Amino acid sequence: MADEIKRKPIIIGNWKMYKTVGEALELVGALQKALPRLGDIDVGVAPPFTALGAVARQLEGSALLLAAQNCHFEAAGAFTGEIAPPMLKDVGCSHVILGHSERRQFFGDTDELVNKKARAAFAHGLVPVICVGELLAEREAGQTFLVVERQLRAAFAGIDATAARRAVLAYEPVWAIGTGRTATDAQAQEVHAFLRQLVGELYDGSTAAALRIQYGGSVKAENAAGLMAQPDVDGALVGGASLKPEAFLGILEYRRTS
Ligand code: 13P
């Protein structure tokens, strides 16, 4: 049964193209202070590349997870402007966000590219946080399941079950990102359940039961508890509300309002 395993919640702040090194250290410092009172939950931050090194040094010995927002699929090479997975590992990252809709929309990240990056991430000891999600027009055309199925199947191609169960999947409906318009609890649950079932078909029930699926798109303190209470919602990938300690802590303390 898919829900017999208790999945540890995982909430990651995706800082996108925000925060200088100084600002990053200030934000992380505030989170570190609050971490001990948050209970059994994985918390991570995904600063821009330029702040990863400094944040990693500040996080030494801390349980806070460090994620990058993207990577290249080669281990090294003549790829001006790109960052390789071993470099992320070297700087102290444990996770890397891949296939975010902003990468897909503005930087040409295709399903195939996301898959190459995901395989490279695993090969170099990083856990990918793989994002899927439909555009508003796709939802309105009734294609939500079709789109996320295509994205998920492509992203996991050639990845074995042992690796897949360690991955984090993030369902981020594009119409809910940065718009203030969140998916309802039921809309999120419906897609999460679909994704988990699909992982079960691609691999097996135990992999589906172990894989954590985050919801992303205008998550804030006010809606976090409702979303997190859904049986197949195991966490959140937070954009705007992760940039201020009070706002992010309001989400991390979702159990207080549930
Ligand atoms: P917002 O929380 O700002 O809607 O962004 C969500 C997101 O894209 C996280 O990756």
Side-chain angles (χ1 to χ4, degrees):
M1 277 293 293
D3 287 313
E4 277 173 13
I5 288 185
K6 201 172 168 334
R7 293 177 292 272
K8 187 176 181 185
I10 178 163
I11 299 181
I12 298 176
N14 173 11
W15 296 359
K16 306 192 179 182
M17 200 170 71
Y18 295 99
K19 304 291 178 192
T20 60
V21 171
E23 291 165 347
L25 293 178
E26 203 177 310
L27 177 48
V28 158
L31 298 179
Q32 277 178 298
K33 271 192 213 131
L35 209 58
R37 67 167 193 267
L38 296 176
D40 198 23
I41 171 176
D42 282 334
V43 181
V45 291
F49 288 127
T50 47
L52 286 175
V55 170
R57 281 189 289 281
Q58 181 159 320
L59 288 185
E60 255 170 57
S62 157
L64 213 62
L65 305 171
L66 186 61
Q69 298 175 20
N70 181 35
C71 69
H72 194 268
F73 56 84
E74 292 288 355
F79 299 105
T80 302
E82 291 293 313
I83 309 278
M87 295 169 177
L88 296 179
K89 192 76 191 160
D90 177 53
V91 85
C93 290
S94 55
H95 290 66
V96 57
I97 299 172
L98 296 175
H100 190 280
S101 64
E102 287 149 18
R103 300 285 327 162
R104 294 179 190 260
Q105 272 185 290
F106 307 130
F107 303 102
D109 281 18
T110 59
D111 287 340
E112 192 199 349
L113 206 50
V114 173
N115 174 247
K116 281 171 136 175
K117 292 179 179 190
R119 283 188 288 159
F122 276 126
H124 297 285
L126 291 162
V127 175
V129 178
I130 298 172
C131 304
V132 299
E134 81 287 1
L135 303 168
L136 181 59
E138 291 166 337
R139 173 161 283 264
E140 286 175 344
Q143 294 172 344
T144 298
F145 295 120
L146 208 71
V147 170
V148 296
E149 175 167 357
R150 189 201 74 223
Q151 292 172 332
L152 186 142
R153 280 183 185 278
F156 281 85
I159 291 171
D160 66 22
T162 317
R165 66 190 296 125
R166 293 178 48 238
V168 178
L169 193 57
Y171 170 55
E172 297 207 318
V174 181
W175 47 270
I177 296 177
T179 58
R181 190 177 157 192
T182 327
T184 63
D185 298 345
Q187 281 174 325
Q189 169 56 25
E190 185 186 33
V191 178
H192 282 230
F194 173 80
L195 291 169
R196 194 177 307 285
Q197 191 196 324
L198 192 56
V199 172
E201 285 166 25
L202 289 176
Y203 296 97
D204 51 66
S206 128
T207 305
L211 183 91
R212 293 182 291 181
I213 311 179
Q214 298 177 310
Y215 168 79
S218 298
V219 176
K220 41 188 180 281
E222 295 74 30
N223 58 27
L227 288 161
M228 294 296 290
Q230 302 306 307
D232 288 294
V233 177
D234 309 311
L237 190 53
V238 185
S242 72
L243 296 173
K244 290 203 176 107
E246 329 72 78
F248 196 45
L249 286 169
I251 295 168
L252 297 175
E253 291 174 332
Y254 68 92
R255 287 191 185 96
R256 286 220 307 225
T257 53
S258 59

